[in-house]
Amino acid sequence: MDDVIIIGGSFAGLAGALQLGRARRKVTVLDTGLPRNRFAGHSHGLLGHDHKPPLDILAEARQQLARYPTVKLVNARAESVSGAIDDFSVVTDDGETLRARRLILSYGETLRARRLILSYGVIDQMPDVPGFAEGWGTSIVPCPYCDGFEVAGQHWGLVWSGRQSHNQVRLFHDWTDRLTVFADGHDIPPDIRADLARRNTPVVDGRIIEIAHHGGHNATVKLDTGPNVAVDILFAHPRNKPSASLHQSLGLATVDTPVGIILKVDERRETSMPGIYAAGDLANPLTPPSVTLASSHGAMAGIFAQQSMLV
Ligand SMILES: Cc1cc2nc3c(=O)[nH]c(=O)nc-3n(C[C@H](O)[C@H](O)[C@H](O)COP(=O)(O)OP(=O)(O)OC[C@H]3O[C@@H](n4cnc5c(N)ncnc54)[C@H](O)[C@@H]3O)c2cc1C
C-alpha cells in the first residue's frame, strides 16, 4: 500500500517521486511515456541538462530513482480515480487497482495517510493544417526560451492566436528584429496593428493552408491569399487540453487560460480536493511551459504531500 500515487511520470511526476523517495515514502508512479516535448530533438534551459534530448533526461532521472527502494515506476495508464483523502483508489489500464487508504490500527495509534499527485500533463491540439503536426517541435515551436537562442537574429514567424500574441511580439524582440506575424484569420485590432507597424513587424493576412518543411528549423508558410512566406522558424500556440480526464470525474476546480484549462492549485500545490496535489503543465498558469517549472512544482507537490502526512 502506497503513501502516494503519482499519475504521470515525466518531469513533474518524477521530481515529486524523488522528494518522496528521499523522505522514504512509499510511492507508485504511473506513466504512459508520452512527455509533451517528445517531438523536440533537444531540451533547453534546465540547469545541468541544457541541450540534451528530453527523453535522455527522463531516462537518467528514472535511473537515479532506482536508488530509492520505496519508489516504484510502473508503465501503465491511470484510467479512473475515486475515493477521498486517506482513501484513494486508482484503476490502471491493465485492470490492476492500487488502493491507497488509511490503516487505522486497532488502538488508533498509527495512521498511514495517503495522497495523489496528478502530473499527467497536457496535449497540444494540432490544427488541421497540412504540415503543422509534421513540423511541431522542429520548425514549429511554442517557446522562445526553449528554442530561440539557436535562431536568434533570424527571420521568425508568429501564428497569431489572440490578444496574448501581442505579448509574444514584445518578448521576441529580445531574440530578433526580424519577425512576421501571420494573422491566420484573426481580426487583429487597429491599435495592435499600429503597434506592430511601429515595431517594424509586418502582418500577413489570410489563412495558413499549408506549412512546408525543408529540414532543420526553416519552413515555408503557404496562405490562401498568397504569396508564400519563408521563415527560419515559426512560433505557434495551439490550444491544449489535459492528457486525461481524471480531474473531471473528481470534480476538481479548473482555471481558464488563453490556450486551455489547467487545474486550480493553492500555494502548496493542493487542488480543490484535499489530499490531491497537481504539478507540471497540468497546473501551470505561467507561459511558456517549462521543464524547470514542471520539475520545481513537482518537487513542491511531493514535499507538501509528504508534509501533509506527518503525524
Ligand atoms: C515542442 C516543445 C518543445 C519544448 N521544449 C522545451 C525546452 O526546450 N525546455 C523546456 O523547459 N520546456 C520545453 N517544453 C515544455 C515541456 O515539454 C513541458 O513543460 C514539460 O514536458 C511538462 O512536464 P510535465 O511533467 O508537466 O508533463 P509531460 O512532460 O507532458 O508528462 C506527462 C506524462 O504523463 C503521462 N500520462 C498522461 N496521461 C496519463 C495517465 N492517465 N496515466 C499515466 N500517465 C499518464 C504522459 O505519458 C507523460 O509521460 C517544450 C514543449 C513543446 C511542446
Side-chain angles (χ1 to χ4, degrees):
M1 189 159 305
D2 295 302
D3 291 314
V4 181
I5 296 170
I6 298 179
I7 302 176
S10 177
F11 301 99
L14 295 180
L18 181 57
Q19 300 300 330
L20 286 158
R22 291 190 57 77
R24 307 191 308 152
R25 290 287 178 171
K26 242 181 123 190
V27 187
T28 294
V29 183
L30 302 173
D31 187 51
T32 47
L34 298 171
R36 188 179 183 184
N37 56 354
R38 64 190 180 280
F39 307 100
H42 297 93
S43 175
H44 296 111
L46 179 63
L47 190 66
H49 295 284
D50 192 42
H51 201 68
K52 276 191 192 170
L55 298 183
D56 287 5
I57 300 173
L58 288 169
E60 202 176 327
R62 280 193 293 272
Q63 215 168 29
Q64 290 174 353
L65 279 163
R67 288 183 67 211
Y68 300 97
T70 58
V71 176
K72 192 170 146 202
L73 306 182
V74 180
N75 295 326
R77 165 173 288 275
E79 289 288 358
S80 68
V81 175
S82 58
I85 188 165
D86 297 334
D87 189 5
F88 290 109
S89 294
V90 177
V91 179
T92 65
D93 58 358
D94 58 8
E96 185 190 356
T97 300
L98 303 163
R99 283 194 69 78
R101 71 179 169 202
R102 179 171 58 184
L103 287 187
I104 303 174
L105 298 186
S106 309
Y107 298 102
E109 293 298 323
T110 307
L111 295 181
R112 291 177 59 205
R114 306 299 166 101
R115 303 291 181 264
L116 293 180
I117 296 176
L118 306 183
S119 47
Y120 46 78
V122 302
I123 294 175
D124 294 297
Q125 297 176 287
M126 298 294 106
D128 192 16
V129 171
F132 195 104
E134 293 80 355
W136 186 241
T138 49
S139 48
I140 310 172
V141 295
C143 150
Y145 297 95
C146 305
D147 293 292
F149 182 85
E150 285 69 24
V151 285
Q154 298 185 33
H155 181 202
W156 293 16
L158 171 66
V159 182
W160 199 262
S161 56
R163 274 206 167 256
Q164 67 281 0
S165 299
H166 195 195
N167 290 334
Q168 299 290 323
V169 171
R170 295 175 55 227
L171 183 67
F172 287 5
H173 280 301
D174 262 13
W175 283 271
T176 189
D177 292 328
R178 296 165 61 204
L179 174 65
T180 296
V181 162
F182 294 92
D184 197 26
H186 286 268
D187 195 11
I188 303 177
D191 59 321
I192 294 182
R193 281 186 185 261
D195 183 65
L196 296 177
R198 193 178 57 75
R199 296 171 184 276
N200 294 320
T201 300
V203 178
V204 175
D205 287 306
R207 280 195 180 275
I208 298 174
I209 52 167
E210 189 182 342
I211 300 169
H213 308 283
H214 315 293
H217 290 305
N218 53 341
T220 300
V221 181
K222 301 186 180 178
L223 301 144
D224 60 355
T225 48
N228 299 338
V229 181
V231 292
D232 294 315
I233 194 160
L234 187 62
F235 285 80
H237 303 95
R239 287 191 67 75
N240 62 58
K241 63 173 188 182
S243 299
S245 56
L246 304 174
H247 57 281
Q248 276 175 346
S249 54
L250 289 161
L252 301 185
T254 58
V255 179
D256 285 324
T257 80
V259 288
I261 62 152
I262 53 162
L263 301 197
K264 187 174 180 190
V265 290
D266 64 15
E267 66 284 357
R268 296 166 66 87
R269 314 275 340 149
E270 196 167 19
T271 66
S272 55
M273 187 162 176
I276 302 185
Y277 296 76
D281 287 358
L282 182 62
N284 176 17
L286 305 170
T287 52
S290 148
V291 164
T292 303
L293 279 182
S295 309
S296 130
H297 291 164
M300 283 170 66
I303 288 169
F304 287 125
Q306 178 246 342
Q307 291 187 0
S308 76
M309 294 185 282
L310 300 177
V311 290

